[in-house]
Amino acid sequence: MISVLSPRAGVISMMSRRLGVAFMAVYVLAGCSLPDAGVSVEGDLKLLYAPFSLGNPPRYWHYADRPAKLDQGEQSKANSLYWDDIDGRIALAMRPAIAPFELGRRTNISVLASPYLSFDWLMNASALPGDTELVLGFRSESQGDWGESDLGVGKPPIDHVIRLPIGGDISGTVGWQRDYFDLSTLHRRYWPDTDTVDVRLVWIGVASSHDQRPDVAGVTYLSHILLSR
């Protein structure tokens, strides 16, 4: 049985500016083994620092919602997802008006061990905040088998989902912007009765918005997704 809650957050202060963040929480009662995809000794996990094949994503990456097409080379810019060089930085370009998508990576990370999430974003003139979203999936350690040797495939069962709109007010700003979040604080805000010690981040991905109709020329760029402590 699945029940869906749709809390809407107000405004969160991030690095001296404010970013409106909308949340959707999804409860799924299920059990499954999770992949051996944790953090380094330093507690950092770089998730999106180098390009990879979108047609054949590497280990742990998975299309939960695959784009309608994935052209190669120069034609790739007609896709809803492609890599682009922006000011010398290779970034994931997201053009959600072309086709819906959700691309993500399985993880197995305690939100207390590496609670800080940061990512860099840039929007072109036609894009709007929230055209694309960062999707975070959480799971209670008490649910199911947590065997570290099971690599797992696809999107794992998830207890709670938070969708963070990517982008913000760019008036008066130039170039790349960076957002920071404290995962444990976010989780406690909407599930205060859940012991955070028991919570792990099991999925992190990007997706087209469920609620907006983006301009066909709107592109949001994303890079340097980092989990740290």
Side-chain angles (χ1 to χ4, degrees):
M1 178 178 179
I2 300 176
S3 60
V4 179
L5 303 180
S6 298
R8 292 291 176 182
V11 179
I12 298 178
S13 176
M14 296 292 172
M15 297 294 291
S16 300
R17 65 186 185 81
R18 302 178 71 83
L19 172 66
V21 179
F23 296 91
M24 180 179 72
V26 182
Y27 290 81
V28 182
L29 302 180
C32 177
S33 298
L34 297 177
D36 181 17
V39 297
S40 67
V41 175
E42 294 77 19
D44 296 339
L45 180 62
K46 295 180 178 181
L47 295 174
L48 196 70
Y49 270 68
F52 53 81
S53 171
L54 294 172
N56 183 27
R59 192 181 192 185
Y60 304 131
W61 287 88
H62 170 71
Y63 276 111
D65 188 0
R66 190 178 180 89
K69 63 176 182 175
L70 286 168
D71 292 333
Q72 303 298 316
E74 285 300 317
Q75 288 71 39
S76 67
K77 292 188 178 181
N79 298 335
S80 56
L81 285 175
Y82 60 94
W83 298 103
D84 205 353
D85 186 335
I86 306 297
D87 301 328
R89 179 187 300 201
I90 302 300
L92 181 64
M94 300 174 288
R95 195 177 170 198
I98 300 299
F101 62 84
E102 183 179 348
L103 172 69
R105 185 193 192 278
R106 293 177 69 117
T107 63
N108 184 11
I109 298 169
S110 167
V111 298
L112 293 183
S114 293
Y116 301 113
L117 168 69
S118 64
F119 58 90
D120 295 352
W121 58 267
L122 181 69
M123 300 187 304
N124 72 2
S126 299
L128 292 175
D131 282 349
T132 58
E133 300 172 328
L134 202 69
V135 182
L136 306 176
F138 300 89
R139 191 154 181 257
S140 172
E141 194 167 352
S142 62
Q143 295 292 329
D145 177 10
W146 283 74
E148 290 290 334
S149 62
D150 185 355
L151 297 179
V153 294
K155 190 173 182 178
I158 292 170
D159 298 326
H160 307 147
V161 170
I162 296 177
R163 302 179 71 99
L164 303 175
I166 299 172
D169 182 5
I170 57 174
S171 58
T173 64
V174 177
W176 287 91
Q177 306 299 308
R178 178 167 295 174
D179 283 332
Y180 294 87
F181 295 92
D182 183 328
L183 297 180
S184 58
T185 298
L186 284 178
H187 194 278
R188 281 195 300 268
R189 178 171 183 175
Y190 291 99
W191 303 283
D193 295 331
T194 301
D195 187 354
T196 312
V197 173
D198 194 41
V199 175
R200 288 179 176 259
L201 180 71
V202 296
W203 174 264
I204 181 167
V206 292
S208 49
S209 172
H210 291 165
D211 304 321
Q212 294 187 189
R213 293 184 178 274
D215 188 290
V216 68
V219 182
T220 299
Y221 301 95
L222 186 68
S223 74
H224 292 185
I225 302 177
L226 175 68
L227 285 165
S228 59
R229 63 184 181 188

